[in-house]
Amino acid sequence: MATKKNNTIKLKFDSARNLAPAPESKSAAKIDPQYDLFINGKFEKPSGKKYFPTINPATEEKLSMIAEANTADVNKAVVAARTAYDKTWKKMPAAERAKYIYRIARMIQERAREFAIIETLDGGKPIRESRDFDVPTAANHFFYYAGWADKLEYAFPNRRTEPLGVAGQIIPWNFPLLMAAWKIAPALACGNTVVLKPAENTSLTALKLAEIIQEADLPPGVVNIITGAGATGAAIVNHADVNKIAFTGSTEVGKIIQRAIAGTNKKATLELGGKAANIIFDDAPLDQAVEGVINGIFFNQGHVCCAGSRLYVQESVFKEVVRKLKDRLETLIVGDPMDKNTDIGAINSKAQLDIINKYIRIGQQEGAEMYQPSCAVPKKGFFCKPTIFTNVAQSNRIAQEEIFGPVLAIQSFRTDDEVIEKANNTPYGLSAGVWTDKGSKIFNLTTKLRAGVVWANTFNKFDPTSPFGGYKESGYGREGGLQGLSAYVNIIENR
Ligand code: NAI
Ligand code: MG
């Protein structure tokens, strides 16, 4: 009976891989040949006159040229943000501020298809992800924080708050539009002004957001979006008139930022790397758990800071789970991110693909056993087969270090205490997942796992109302939800 059921599932999946291509149309999105800096409500040429290319990682073709902001441009943006803060935004009634934030949310919804296409072309993630997750969740963040703007007295009862001033925000390439929304929406709701820098290989949707901000008539200077690489980011961090740094990216750069702002009055929230453990107990709904594991590490190419890159399976179901995982891997579609059937798109950059391939070699050298499905990957562009490792030791680098790619390290465990110890034994603590039928087990683990987010019988679920952030080297501060407001206010007195 069980075999018959498995065969039916397999047949369904086999036919999924043979589906005719269903590519989204590129023509529904307009990409200009060149983009300038968005400062004080206008698009301006960079003072150093330098531009750098942004490419489509699935084809290696150039999409556009992006302006590189130097220190003078960063200064211009900070001055614009300070002036807008002092003269306009700080003084504006909160309910008025909320209207602007709502307007931005609605305009993202209206242009959702265009945003999804550009996100996929510029970053390589499957159109299904951009369309169904990134863009709607970005709009939802603006809606959610618009609602808080005139209700801060309820968010901080019996206390009086004031905005921080100018927020410098630096974001990575894995969720370009969504990270911009996470950072801009709460900052504006609390009355701050913003200088935001997207990652250098995925600037386009942030620049499209700048167009929306301009069309929404947000007062000039309230949001400035400037582009460039690490040097531009460092100039924002080191600018004397920036009051707060919000950063998402590598732990390495997070540490540089921490050192740079030590001894200043700048506040900071840092959301850094992760090495999340997914834990499957023998009483878990195994098919559902396997699907959650696949979703947690392979969809989105593993380019997720909270990706479930480690899997711990209770010994009695270990073999069965690994077999189910391999079966499911065999059905995943790797390829053109613009195809609506694609599960795993392009790796974001050549540099990231090199990092992932390095770790795949390290895993083999460390003696772990590698498995990859038989699928073909496109010859052009940056692609990586979904990869699992068994026979992994806790001390192996593939079980300790962030790979940020579709690579899963699997180990077995016997008892709750053993798996808690193993799961906590990395420098990171961003997220974790627990799969079991028993509520008591879930509560036992959620209190003992040193991770900012613990999902139970699901994984990688996001909502603007729930806070997100890490322990240990995964950073500090919380984004999202009520907690996300605290990062953008000073509490000046108790009432
Ligand atoms: P990164 O940390 O260098 O880049 C993130 C952002 O920081 C980008 O906007 C970048 O321009 C900016 N930046 C770089 N150097 C800076 C500096 N000195 N001061 C201020 N801003 C600076 O990350 P990268 O090099 O793209 O990826 C390297 C590794 O980092 C990945 O392999 C992955 O493991 C991890 N990563 C983690 C992310 C997360 O969401 N936690 C996101 C992206 C990368
Ligand atoms: Mg690109």
Side-chain angles (χ1 to χ4, degrees):
M1 191 59 199
T3 324
K4 189 171 166 213
K5 197 169 154 214
N6 285 341
N7 283 343
T8 326
I9 291 169
K10 188 146 191 319
L11 274 176
K12 203 171 103 203
F13 285 144
D14 280 349
S15 55
R17 215 184 239 181
N18 294 327
L19 285 174
E24 169 60 292
S25 157
K26 281 184 200 160
S27 58
K30 187 174 144 287
I31 299 178
D32 294 339
Q34 182 174 301
Y35 282 90
D36 292 320
L37 308 170
F38 184 65
I39 299 176
N40 209 22
K42 292 191 294 285
F43 285 92
E44 292 202 5
K45 302 227 166 300
S47 56
K49 300 192 176 59
K50 283 196 187 147
Y51 292 83
F52 58 91
T54 191
I55 65 160
N56 176 348
T59 60
E60 302 176 50
E61 283 159 4
K62 188 176 91 183
L63 291 168
S64 183
M65 295 298 285
I66 308 289
E68 183 184 310
N70 62 18
T71 315
D73 299 315
V74 169
N75 186 50
K76 226 184 202 179
V78 175
V79 169
R82 171 65 55 195
T83 311
Y85 176 71
D86 286 335
K87 300 227 163 104
T88 321
W89 200 242
K90 179 171 76 171
K91 295 181 188 161
M92 190 182 282
E96 291 302 308
R97 285 204 308 261
K99 286 183 196 166
Y100 285 105
I101 308 172
Y102 273 123
R103 199 179 290 167
I104 295 170
R106 279 199 303 269
M107 289 171 85
I108 293 175
Q109 282 187 324
E110 279 158 19
R111 288 171 64 174
R113 184 166 176 214
E114 189 185 352
F115 269 105
I117 292 170
I118 296 177
E119 200 72 308
T120 285
L121 290 174
D122 200 17
K125 65 173 61 191
I127 188 75
R128 198 175 62 203
E129 289 285 316
S130 326
R131 183 195 61 196
D132 296 348
F133 178 70
D134 293 58
V135 178
T137 317
N140 285 346
H141 266 82
F142 281 103
F143 278 123
Y144 176 73
Y145 281 110
W148 273 119
D150 63 349
K151 300 174 196 69
L152 294 179
E153 61 195 277
Y154 300 100
F156 304 99
N158 304 317
R159 284 170 295 169
R160 203 153 66 83
T161 61
E162 62 173 19
L164 301 174
V166 177
Q169 307 183 323
I170 298 164
I171 59 173
W173 41 260
N174 54 343
F175 291 94
L177 178 69
L178 183 56
M179 286 299 120
W182 272 35
K183 300 254 181 304
I184 295 174
L188 297 188
C190 294
N192 304 275
T193 58
V194 165
V195 176
L196 175 122
K197 190 195 85 63
E200 53 272 34
N201 34 3
T202 53
S203 308
L204 289 177
T205 45
L207 291 161
K208 283 275 155 189
L209 182 62
E211 289 176 8
I212 280 189
I213 285 167
Q214 197 179 37
E215 282 170 38
D217 258 340
L218 198 73
V222 171
V223 173
N224 305 275
I225 297 184
I226 57 174
T227 42
T232 311
I236 297 174
V237 170
N238 294 319
H239 196 291
D241 205 27
V242 168
N243 304 100
K244 188 230 158 69
I245 299 295
F247 172 77
T248 300
S250 62
T251 298
E252 187 193 346
V253 174
K255 286 179 182 173
I256 294 174
I257 292 176
Q258 243 176 334
R259 279 196 292 273
I261 63 171
T264 71
N265 270 334
K266 287 173 193 165
K267 281 199 167 191
T269 38
L270 303 177
E271 201 257 280
L272 311 174
K275 193 73 188 172
N278 240 323
I279 301 169
I280 302 182
F281 286 96
D282 58 6
D283 62 350
L286 294 186
D287 288 323
Q288 191 185 325
V290 164
E291 205 49 36
V293 170
I294 295 273
N295 170 32
I297 181 67
F298 296 125
F299 294 173
N300 250 328
Q301 304 77 244
H303 291 344
V304 188
C305 46
C306 52
S309 52
R310 292 181 294 154
L311 172 63
Y312 293 98
V313 186
Q314 201 153 25
E315 207 173 68
S316 51
V317 291
F318 184 83
K319 275 202 182 123
E320 190 181 352
V321 166
V322 171
R323 184 182 52 75
K324 281 177 187 284
L325 269 172
K326 287 181 177 173
D327 283 352
R328 182 69 176 98
L329 279 191
E330 204 45 57
T331 67
L332 292 179
I333 302 172
V334 186
D336 180 8
M338 288 288 274
D339 193 314
K340 292 165 193 157
N341 297 320
T342 293
D343 296 305
I344 304 180
I347 300 300
N348 182 266
S349 65
K350 169 82 168 52
Q352 190 60 33
L353 181 59
D354 290 344
I355 294 177
I356 298 167
N357 284 332
K358 180 190 83 181
Y359 275 106
I360 291 178
R361 281 194 302 275
I362 289 174
Q364 290 168 297
Q365 284 156 10
E366 283 176 325
E369 198 173 305
M370 186 186 80
Y371 175 85
Q372 291 179 327
S374 63
C375 63
V377 298
K379 295 240 160 17
K380 217 167 162 37
F382 315 130
F383 290 90
C384 179
K385 283 189 182 188
T387 305
I388 63 177
F389 280 103
T390 48
N391 200 15
V392 176
Q394 183 69 23
S395 59
N396 285 172
R397 288 180 66 189
I398 54 165
Q400 287 289 325
E401 297 174 20
E402 182 174 53
I403 301 175
F404 227 65
V407 181
L408 177 67
I410 312 179
Q411 291 177 263
S412 65
F413 71 93
R414 286 183 185 167
T415 66
D416 294 21
D417 288 345
E418 178 193 351
V419 78
I420 289 166
E421 196 187 317
K422 282 181 166 168
N424 285 338
N425 180 11
T426 76
Y428 296 109
L430 197 52
S431 63
V434 182
W435 300 84
T436 169
D437 199 29
K438 292 202 180 52
S440 58
K441 212 167 242 177
I442 291 170
F443 285 119
N444 182 30
L445 266 84
T446 47
T447 49
K448 291 177 184 156
L449 289 171
R450 304 283 298 153
V453 180
V454 183
W455 285 288
N457 293 327
T458 186
F459 203 80
N460 270 0
K461 286 281 180 285
F462 283 90
D463 190 279
T465 62
S466 51
F468 184 81
Y471 283 61
K472 301 192 280 189
E473 289 197 18
S474 291
Y476 54 78
R478 294 292 177 262
E479 293 185 302
L482 176 59
Q483 290 81 352
L485 293 166
S486 318
Y488 286 98
V489 295
N490 273 323
I491 291 169
I492 47 177
E493 69 184 43
N494 290 322
R495 282 197 285 219

